[in-house]
Amino acid sequence: MTAPVDALSPVRAELLRAARASADAVRSRARADAEETLRSARATADAVLARARDLGRADGAAEAARERVRAVQDAWAAELAARAEVYTALGAAVRAGVRRELTEDASLRRRCAEAARELLGPQARITAATEGGVTAEVPGRRVDLSADALADRALDRLGARAETLWEPA
């Protein structure tokens, strides 16, 4: 017995072949689209990464510049603090030296009193300053020749020459 001939068999075979061909074409397009999407995503990722590197370098350079400025400012502040400390110590030493000289040398005290009388006249009331030296007064005028005032005037006369205190030797 022979198998019955199916008249639709060639149609089915053609439909199956066409469906497979269509599926293969869809699969090929999907692969091509996926590959293009991956290429595009990789290119975008590379561009984003390059931009991030550039921004990171720029941020790093800006932060390094800010850090350099801070370091220079800190160094300058430390130098100014050291200068102030040296100047304060100098002032204390000069005051102490002038006090010592005025208390140990009676002729210096007499010369201070004479200088005050020359400045204010013979009617000046002369008073011994507690730390050494004198003060003198006449109505409306006063002269301070105390040890601290004399030392402070001497330091003030140093003026810009005080800068030589912290210059390299």
Side-chain angles (χ1 to χ4, degrees):
M1 174 153 134
T2 60
V5 176
D6 186 4
L8 292 177
S9 184
V11 172
R12 261 190 242 120
E14 183 54 29
L15 284 174
L16 189 57
R17 187 202 60 71
R20 283 189 182 132
S22 177
D24 287 343
V26 167
R27 220 179 352 245
S28 277
R29 275 194 314 271
R31 275 192 197 110
D33 287 348
E35 287 172 6
E36 181 55 34
T37 300
L38 282 174
R39 268 193 301 278
S40 176
R42 283 185 184 121
T44 300
D46 289 345
V48 167
L49 186 57
R51 178 76 175 132
R53 280 189 192 118
D54 291 344
L55 289 174
R57 268 194 285 287
D59 286 350
E63 183 58 31
R66 284 189 294 274
E67 190 58 36
R68 280 191 298 277
V69 167
R70 272 192 296 274
V72 167
Q73 289 170 338
D74 290 349
W76 181 239
E79 183 176 341
L80 289 178
R83 287 179 179 195
E85 189 177 319
V86 167
Y87 192 78
T88 299
L90 173 66
V94 169
R95 282 186 203 93
V98 172
R99 283 183 202 134
R100 185 177 54 255
E101 290 299 316
L102 285 172
T103 56
E104 291 175 1
D105 188 344
S107 70
L108 285 177
R109 287 191 301 273
R110 274 193 310 277
R111 287 188 7 217
C112 283
E114 290 169 7
R117 277 196 182 86
E118 284 179 28
L119 290 168
L120 297 179
Q123 73 282 12
R125 191 176 88 229
I126 309 291
T127 308
T130 57
E131 70 277 354
V134 297
T135 59
E137 291 183 41
V138 294
R141 293 177 62 203
R142 182 174 194 274
V143 171
D144 187 353
L145 297 176
S146 65
D148 287 351
L150 291 170
D152 289 346
R153 280 190 211 109
L155 287 171
D156 287 344
R157 279 193 307 271
L158 263 180
R161 288 178 298 170
E163 291 286 319
T164 62
L165 295 172
W166 30 83
E167 286 178 355

